[in-house]
Amino acid sequence: MRAASREAAHSNVRINAIAPGGPDTPMWHEMPWFQDLMREVGNESAALAKIAQMPRPIARYAQDADVTRLIIMLLAEETPITGATLVVDGGGAL
């Protein structure tokens, strides 16, 4: 991101990446371990809550709306961010 941003800066082009780590999206339903967890605890919300209680600094998993808001912010002309990889994972990567 940084190298591409450096090259594009003279053309007033901003380049960023969004790295969603475990967003609350339908992709969870395709993962066998998550299906097992849902059966164990009863439903999707309870499974996500149980994951959030694991010994990691996760406040909550990102939802698709979180990523959407970030994209909208990055597309705004007044946003001076370029060359960044923004991790949206509730602190899971810490």
Side-chain angles (χ1 to χ4, degrees):
M1 291 298 92
R2 296 180 79 184
S5 294
R6 195 171 292 123
E7 289 183 29
H10 69 279
S11 299
N12 199 30
V13 173
R14 292 174 286 129
I15 300 174
N16 297 290
I18 297 174
D24 178 7
T25 63
M27 74 175 192
W28 284 101
H29 295 281
E30 299 172 16
M31 298 180 198
W33 67 268
F34 189 72
Q35 293 171 6
D36 292 343
L37 183 58
M38 282 194 305
R39 279 190 291 277
E40 177 187 322
V41 297
N43 61 49
E44 179 182 2
S45 295
L48 290 169
K50 184 168 183 171
I51 292 169
Q53 297 303 315
M54 291 179 177
R56 296 182 283 177
I58 297 175
R60 67 173 173 81
Y61 275 94
Q63 298 175 340
D64 54 357
D66 297 323
V67 175
T68 301
R69 282 192 302 274
L70 183 55
I71 292 168
I72 291 168
M73 181 199 72
L74 290 171
L75 290 173
E77 286 295 321
E78 61 273 6
T79 302
I81 299 170
T82 191
T85 299
L86 302 168
V87 178
V88 183
D89 70 350
L94 296 175

